[in-house]
PDB file of all heavy atoms in Angstrom:
ATOM      1  N   CYS B  43      19.446 -22.021  23.605  1.00  0.00           N
ATOM      2  CA  CYS B  43      18.534 -21.142  22.823  1.00  0.00           C
ATOM      3  C   CYS B  43      17.407 -21.947  22.192  1.00  0.00           C
ATOM      4  O   CYS B  43      16.274 -21.492  22.079  1.00  0.00           O
ATOM      5  CB  CYS B  43      19.323 -20.398  21.767  1.00  0.00           C
ATOM      6  SG  CYS B  43      20.430 -19.159  22.437  1.00  0.00           S
ATOM      7  N   ASP B  44      17.760 -23.204  21.785  1.00  0.00           N
ATOM      8  CA  ASP B  44      16.700 -24.054  21.230  1.00  0.00           C
ATOM      9  C   ASP B  44      15.621 -24.386  22.252  1.00  0.00           C
ATOM     10  O   ASP B  44      14.459 -24.399  21.971  1.00  0.00           O
ATOM     11  CB  ASP B  44      17.359 -25.373  20.753  1.00  0.00           C
ATOM     12  CG  ASP B  44      18.215 -25.221  19.498  1.00  0.00           C
ATOM     13  OD1 ASP B  44      18.115 -24.140  18.817  1.00  0.00           O
ATOM     14  OD2 ASP B  44      19.016 -26.110  19.193  1.00  0.00           O
ATOM     15  N   LEU B  45      16.100 -24.674  23.484  1.00  0.00           N
ATOM     16  CA  LEU B  45      15.132 -24.957  24.568  1.00  0.00           C
ATOM     17  C   LEU B  45      14.255 -23.760  24.847  1.00  0.00           C
ATOM     18  O   LEU B  45      13.037 -23.894  25.033  1.00  0.00           O
ATOM     19  CB  LEU B  45      15.886 -25.321  25.830  1.00  0.00           C
ATOM     20  CG  LEU B  45      16.091 -26.852  26.060  1.00  0.00           C
ATOM     21  CD1 LEU B  45      16.991 -27.105  27.252  1.00  0.00           C
ATOM     22  CD2 LEU B  45      14.726 -27.570  26.247  1.00  0.00           C
ATOM     23  N   LEU B  46      14.836 -22.583  24.870  1.00  0.00           N
ATOM     24  CA  LEU B  46      14.063 -21.385  25.172  1.00  0.00           C
ATOM     25  C   LEU B  46      13.052 -21.137  23.988  1.00  0.00           C
ATOM     26  O   LEU B  46      11.969 -20.620  24.257  1.00  0.00           O
ATOM     27  CB  LEU B  46      14.949 -20.138  25.293  1.00  0.00           C
ATOM     28  CG  LEU B  46      15.847 -20.130  26.551  1.00  0.00           C
ATOM     29  CD1 LEU B  46      16.728 -18.877  26.576  1.00  0.00           C
ATOM     30  CD2 LEU B  46      14.911 -20.119  27.809  1.00  0.00           C
ATOM     31  N   ALA B  47      13.422 -21.572  22.780  1.00  0.00           N
ATOM     32  CA  ALA B  47      12.500 -21.411  21.670  1.00  0.00           C
ATOM     33  C   ALA B  47      11.216 -22.181  21.875  1.00  0.00           C
ATOM     34  O   ALA B  47      10.202 -21.888  21.257  1.00  0.00           O
ATOM     35  CB  ALA B  47      13.220 -21.818  20.382  1.00  0.00           C
ATOM     36  N   THR B  48      11.267 -23.223  22.741  1.00  0.00           N
ATOM     37  CA  THR B  48      10.040 -24.021  22.978  1.00  0.00           C
ATOM     38  C   THR B  48       9.109 -23.301  23.964  1.00  0.00           C
ATOM     39  O   THR B  48       7.973 -23.725  24.172  1.00  0.00           O
ATOM     40  CB  THR B  48      10.354 -25.402  23.515  1.00  0.00           C
ATOM     41  OG1 THR B  48      10.932 -25.250  24.820  1.00  0.00           O
ATOM     42  CG2 THR B  48      11.377 -26.158  22.646  1.00  0.00           C
ATOM     43  N   CYS B  49       9.640 -22.226  24.583  1.00  0.00           N
ATOM     44  CA  CYS B  49       8.825 -21.445  25.521  1.00  0.00           C
ATOM     45  C   CYS B  49       8.107 -20.347  24.692  1.00  0.00           C
ATOM     46  O   CYS B  49       8.631 -19.259  24.521  1.00  0.00           O
ATOM     47  CB  CYS B  49       9.696 -20.790  26.587  1.00  0.00           C
ATOM     48  SG  CYS B  49      10.751 -21.946  27.465  1.00  0.00           S
ATOM     49  N   THR B  50       6.943 -20.694  24.237  1.00  0.00           N
ATOM     50  CA  THR B  50       6.257 -19.827  23.291  1.00  0.00           C
ATOM     51  C   THR B  50       4.747 -19.822  23.525  1.00  0.00           C
ATOM     52  O   THR B  50       4.217 -20.791  24.041  1.00  0.00           O
ATOM     53  CB  THR B  50       6.561 -20.201  21.844  1.00  0.00           C
ATOM     54  OG1 THR B  50       5.805 -19.394  20.952  1.00  0.00           O
ATOM     55  CG2 THR B  50       6.219 -21.673  21.556  1.00  0.00           C
ATOM     56  N   GLU B  51       4.154 -18.787  23.114  1.00  0.00           N
ATOM     57  CA  GLU B  51       2.707 -18.629  23.231  1.00  0.00           C
ATOM     58  C   GLU B  51       1.976 -19.304  22.035  1.00  0.00           C
ATOM     59  O   GLU B  51       0.819 -19.563  22.093  1.00  0.00           O
ATOM     60  CB  GLU B  51       2.382 -17.140  23.240  1.00  0.00           C
ATOM     61  CG  GLU B  51       1.198 -16.778  24.063  1.00  0.00           C
ATOM     62  CD  GLU B  51       1.014 -15.283  24.094  1.00  0.00           C
ATOM     63  OE1 GLU B  51       1.002 -14.648  23.012  1.00  0.00           O
ATOM     64  OE2 GLU B  51       0.932 -14.709  25.208  1.00  0.00           O
ATOM     65  N   GLU B  52       2.736 -19.449  20.954  1.00  0.00           N
ATOM     66  CA  GLU B  52       2.136 -19.930  19.694  1.00  0.00           C
ATOM     67  C   GLU B  52       2.888 -21.190  19.240  1.00  0.00           C
ATOM     68  O   GLU B  52       4.052 -21.094  18.843  1.00  0.00           O
ATOM     69  CB  GLU B  52       2.257 -18.908  18.564  1.00  0.00           C
ATOM     70  CG  GLU B  52       1.539 -17.636  18.804  1.00  0.00           C
ATOM     71  CD  GLU B  52       1.706 -16.688  17.583  1.00  0.00           C
ATOM     72  OE1 GLU B  52       2.727 -16.117  17.402  1.00  0.00           O
ATOM     73  OE2 GLU B  52       0.659 -16.595  16.841  1.00  0.00           O
ATOM     74  N   ARG B  55       5.727 -21.475  16.416  1.00  0.00           N
ATOM     75  CA  ARG B  55       6.388 -20.215  16.188  1.00  0.00           C
ATOM     76  C   ARG B  55       6.905 -19.752  17.518  1.00  0.00           C
ATOM     77  O   ARG B  55       6.424 -20.118  18.582  1.00  0.00           O
ATOM     78  CB  ARG B  55       5.405 -19.143  15.655  1.00  0.00           C
ATOM     79  CG  ARG B  55       4.630 -19.574  14.479  1.00  0.00           C
ATOM     80  CD  ARG B  55       3.395 -18.615  14.297  1.00  0.00           C
ATOM     81  NE  ARG B  55       3.732 -17.504  13.492  1.00  0.00           N
ATOM     82  CZ  ARG B  55       2.945 -16.421  13.310  1.00  0.00           C
ATOM     83  NH1 ARG B  55       1.808 -16.324  14.004  1.00  0.00           N
ATOM     84  NH2 ARG B  55       3.299 -15.437  12.550  1.00  0.00           N
ATOM     85  N   ILE B  56       7.922 -18.882  17.482  1.00  0.00           N
ATOM     86  CA  ILE B  56       8.427 -18.324  18.708  1.00  0.00           C
ATOM     87  C   ILE B  56       7.778 -16.988  18.967  1.00  0.00           C
ATOM     88  O   ILE B  56       8.018 -16.018  18.211  1.00  0.00           O
ATOM     89  CB  ILE B  56       9.991 -18.141  18.631  1.00  0.00           C
ATOM     90  CG1 ILE B  56      10.651 -19.488  18.258  1.00  0.00           C
ATOM     91  CG2 ILE B  56      10.514 -17.618  19.929  1.00  0.00           C
ATOM     92  CD1 ILE B  56      12.130 -19.340  17.947  1.00  0.00           C
ATOM     93  N   THR B  57       6.981 -16.899  20.001  1.00  0.00           N
ATOM     94  CA  THR B  57       6.363 -15.664  20.398  1.00  0.00           C
ATOM     95  C   THR B  57       6.305 -15.642  21.907  1.00  0.00           C
ATOM     96  O   THR B  57       5.497 -16.336  22.498  1.00  0.00           O
ATOM     97  CB  THR B  57       4.896 -15.547  19.803  1.00  0.00           C
ATOM     98  OG1 THR B  57       4.989 -15.664  18.352  1.00  0.00           O
ATOM     99  CG2 THR B  57       4.248 -14.224  20.149  1.00  0.00           C
ATOM    100  N   ARG B  58       7.198 -14.882  22.470  1.00  0.00           N
ATOM    101  CA  ARG B  58       7.333 -14.886  23.959  1.00  0.00           C
ATOM    102  C   ARG B  58       7.187 -13.476  24.482  1.00  0.00           C
ATOM    103  O   ARG B  58       8.170 -12.751  24.618  1.00  0.00           O
ATOM    104  CB  ARG B  58       8.737 -15.496  24.293  1.00  0.00           C
ATOM    105  CG  ARG B  58       8.854 -15.853  25.783  1.00  0.00           C
ATOM    106  CD  ARG B  58      10.051 -16.753  26.059  1.00  0.00           C
ATOM    107  NE  ARG B  58      11.273 -16.203  25.396  1.00  0.00           N
ATOM    108  CZ  ARG B  58      11.865 -16.775  24.380  1.00  0.00           C
ATOM    109  NH1 ARG B  58      11.444 -17.919  23.886  1.00  0.00           N
ATOM    110  NH2 ARG B  58      12.920 -16.182  23.821  1.00  0.00           N
ATOM    111  N   PRO B  59       5.933 -13.138  24.815  1.00  0.00           N
ATOM    112  CA  PRO B  59       5.735 -11.745  25.271  1.00  0.00           C
ATOM    113  C   PRO B  59       6.080 -11.559  26.739  1.00  0.00           C
ATOM    114  O   PRO B  59       6.254 -12.497  27.478  1.00  0.00           O
ATOM    115  CB  PRO B  59       4.241 -11.542  25.067  1.00  0.00           C
ATOM    116  CG  PRO B  59       3.681 -12.776  24.386  1.00  0.00           C
ATOM    117  CD  PRO B  59       4.714 -13.839  24.669  1.00  0.00           C
ATOM    118  N   SER B  62       4.312 -13.382  30.284  1.00  0.00           N
ATOM    119  CA  SER B  62       3.403 -14.434  29.744  1.00  0.00           C
ATOM    120  C   SER B  62       3.742 -15.757  30.397  1.00  0.00           C
ATOM    121  O   SER B  62       4.804 -15.948  30.994  1.00  0.00           O
ATOM    122  CB  SER B  62       3.586 -14.530  28.257  1.00  0.00           C
ATOM    123  OG  SER B  62       4.931 -14.830  27.914  1.00  0.00           O
ATOM    124  N   ASP B  63       2.922 -16.765  30.162  1.00  0.00           N
ATOM    125  CA  ASP B  63       3.208 -18.122  30.588  1.00  0.00           C
ATOM    126  C   ASP B  63       4.454 -18.602  29.929  1.00  0.00           C
ATOM    127  O   ASP B  63       5.266 -19.360  30.481  1.00  0.00           O
ATOM    128  CB  ASP B  63       2.001 -19.054  30.272  1.00  0.00           C
ATOM    129  CG  ASP B  63       0.880 -18.824  31.214  1.00  0.00           C
ATOM    130  OD1 ASP B  63       1.084 -18.282  32.308  1.00  0.00           O
ATOM    131  OD2 ASP B  63      -0.238 -19.241  30.871  1.00  0.00           O
ATOM    132  N   ALA B  64       4.587 -18.207  28.639  1.00  0.00           N
ATOM    133  CA  ALA B  64       5.791 -18.599  27.885  1.00  0.00           C
ATOM    134  C   ALA B  64       7.040 -18.058  28.557  1.00  0.00           C
ATOM    135  O   ALA B  64       8.058 -18.735  28.661  1.00  0.00           O
ATOM    136  CB  ALA B  64       5.740 -18.075  26.457  1.00  0.00           C
ATOM    137  N   MET B  65       6.937 -16.834  29.076  1.00  0.00           N
ATOM    138  CA  MET B  65       8.135 -16.248  29.785  1.00  0.00           C
ATOM    139  C   MET B  65       8.323 -16.962  31.100  1.00  0.00           C
ATOM    140  O   MET B  65       9.459 -17.201  31.491  1.00  0.00           O
ATOM    141  CB  MET B  65       7.855 -14.756  30.022  1.00  0.00           C
ATOM    142  CG  MET B  65       9.034 -14.034  30.667  1.00  0.00           C
ATOM    143  SD  MET B  65      10.506 -14.015  29.604  1.00  0.00           S
ATOM    144  CE  MET B  65      10.183 -12.539  28.653  1.00  0.00           C
ATOM    145  N   ARG B  66       7.271 -17.329  31.782  1.00  0.00           N
ATOM    146  CA  ARG B  66       7.392 -18.057  33.083  1.00  0.00           C
ATOM    147  C   ARG B  66       8.149 -19.352  32.805  1.00  0.00           C
ATOM    148  O   ARG B  66       9.035 -19.753  33.581  1.00  0.00           O
ATOM    149  CB  ARG B  66       5.974 -18.319  33.626  1.00  0.00           C
ATOM    150  CG  ARG B  66       5.907 -18.694  35.114  1.00  0.00           C
ATOM    151  CD  ARG B  66       4.527 -19.100  35.521  1.00  0.00           C
ATOM    152  NE  ARG B  66       3.461 -18.127  35.150  1.00  0.00           N
ATOM    153  CZ  ARG B  66       3.191 -17.050  35.903  1.00  0.00           C
ATOM    154  NH1 ARG B  66       3.833 -16.857  37.037  1.00  0.00           N
ATOM    155  NH2 ARG B  66       2.249 -16.186  35.527  1.00  0.00           N
ATOM    156  N   HIS B  67       7.778 -20.000  31.733  1.00  0.00           N
ATOM    157  CA  HIS B  67       8.413 -21.273  31.379  1.00  0.00           C
ATOM    158  C   HIS B  67       9.906 -21.054  31.093  1.00  0.00           C
ATOM    159  O   HIS B  67      10.751 -21.785  31.574  1.00  0.00           O
ATOM    160  CB  HIS B  67       7.682 -21.773  30.095  1.00  0.00           C
ATOM    161  CG  HIS B  67       8.087 -23.144  29.633  1.00  0.00           C
ATOM    162  ND1 HIS B  67       7.680 -23.674  28.436  1.00  0.00           N
ATOM    163  CD2 HIS B  67       8.856 -24.114  30.198  1.00  0.00           C
ATOM    164  CE1 HIS B  67       8.189 -24.885  28.268  1.00  0.00           C
ATOM    165  NE2 HIS B  67       8.931 -25.155  29.335  1.00  0.00           N
ATOM    166  N   ALA B  68      10.224 -19.968  30.361  1.00  0.00           N
ATOM    167  CA  ALA B  68      11.591 -19.634  30.060  1.00  0.00           C
ATOM    168  C   ALA B  68      12.415 -19.387  31.339  1.00  0.00           C
ATOM    169  O   ALA B  68      13.498 -19.798  31.521  1.00  0.00           O
ATOM    170  CB  ALA B  68      11.692 -18.423  29.126  1.00  0.00           C
ATOM    171  N   HIS B  69      11.759 -18.697  32.297  1.00  0.00           N
ATOM    172  CA  HIS B  69      12.427 -18.333  33.541  1.00  0.00           C
ATOM    173  C   HIS B  69      12.825 -19.635  34.310  1.00  0.00           C
ATOM    174  O   HIS B  69      13.891 -19.647  34.971  1.00  0.00           O
ATOM    175  CB  HIS B  69      11.525 -17.469  34.413  1.00  0.00           C
ATOM    176  CG  HIS B  69      11.613 -16.015  34.124  1.00  0.00           C
ATOM    177  ND1 HIS B  69      11.156 -15.021  34.947  1.00  0.00           N
ATOM    178  CD2 HIS B  69      12.193 -15.376  33.063  1.00  0.00           C
ATOM    179  CE1 HIS B  69      11.389 -13.836  34.390  1.00  0.00           C
ATOM    180  NE2 HIS B  69      11.992 -14.038  33.259  1.00  0.00           N
ATOM    181  N   GLN B  70      11.991 -20.666  34.215  1.00  0.00           N
ATOM    182  CA  GLN B  70      12.330 -21.899  34.914  1.00  0.00           C
ATOM    183  C   GLN B  70      13.677 -22.398  34.418  1.00  0.00           C
ATOM    184  O   GLN B  70      14.536 -22.793  35.235  1.00  0.00           O
ATOM    185  CB  GLN B  70      11.227 -22.923  34.727  1.00  0.00           C
ATOM    186  CG  GLN B  70       9.962 -22.641  35.502  1.00  0.00           C
ATOM    187  CD  GLN B  70       8.771 -23.505  35.062  1.00  0.00           C
ATOM    188  OE1 GLN B  70       8.883 -24.354  34.220  1.00  0.00           O
ATOM    189  NE2 GLN B  70       7.634 -23.264  35.687  1.00  0.00           N
ATOM    190  N   TYR B  71      13.830 -22.431  33.100  1.00  0.00           N
ATOM    191  CA  TYR B  71      15.119 -22.889  32.550  1.00  0.00           C
ATOM    192  C   TYR B  71      16.260 -21.930  32.985  1.00  0.00           C
ATOM    193  O   TYR B  71      17.306 -22.343  33.485  1.00  0.00           O
ATOM    194  CB  TYR B  71      15.053 -22.861  30.998  1.00  0.00           C
ATOM    195  CG  TYR B  71      14.333 -24.041  30.401  1.00  0.00           C
ATOM    196  CD1 TYR B  71      13.179 -23.792  29.649  1.00  0.00           C
ATOM    197  CD2 TYR B  71      14.773 -25.352  30.554  1.00  0.00           C
ATOM    198  CE1 TYR B  71      12.515 -24.843  29.011  1.00  0.00           C
ATOM    199  CE2 TYR B  71      14.121 -26.398  29.959  1.00  0.00           C
ATOM    200  CZ  TYR B  71      12.985 -26.153  29.208  1.00  0.00           C
ATOM    201  OH  TYR B  71      12.315 -27.221  28.608  1.00  0.00           O
ATOM    202  N   LEU B 109      14.854 -11.450  27.345  1.00  0.00           N
ATOM    203  CA  LEU B 109      14.281 -12.769  27.077  1.00  0.00           C
ATOM    204  C   LEU B 109      12.984 -12.764  26.263  1.00  0.00           C
ATOM    205  O   LEU B 109      12.539 -13.780  25.826  1.00  0.00           O
ATOM    206  CB  LEU B 109      14.050 -13.535  28.393  1.00  0.00           C
ATOM    207  CG  LEU B 109      15.280 -14.007  29.153  1.00  0.00           C
ATOM    208  CD1 LEU B 109      14.858 -14.731  30.454  1.00  0.00           C
ATOM    209  CD2 LEU B 109      16.172 -14.922  28.323  1.00  0.00           C
ATOM    210  N   SER B 111      10.406 -11.692  23.068  1.00  0.00           N
ATOM    211  CA  SER B 111      10.603 -11.736  21.625  1.00  0.00           C
ATOM    212  C   SER B 111       9.528 -10.982  20.870  1.00  0.00           C
ATOM    213  O   SER B 111       8.491 -10.636  21.475  1.00  0.00           O
ATOM    214  CB  SER B 111      10.603 -13.210  21.132  1.00  0.00           C
ATOM    215  OG  SER B 111       9.263 -13.650  20.984  1.00  0.00           O
TER     216      SER B 111
END
Side-chain angles (χ1 to χ4, degrees):
Chain B
C43 291
D44 291 344
L45 266 173
L46 290 178
T48 67
C49 306
T50 175
E51 212 176 52
E52 297 183 285
R55 307 164 89 190
I56 306 171
T57 302
R58 194 165 48 249
S62 59
D63 285 341
M65 183 63 88
R66 199 186 306 276
H67 187 190
H69 275 194
Q70 287 168 2
Y71 284 117
L109 289 180
S111 81

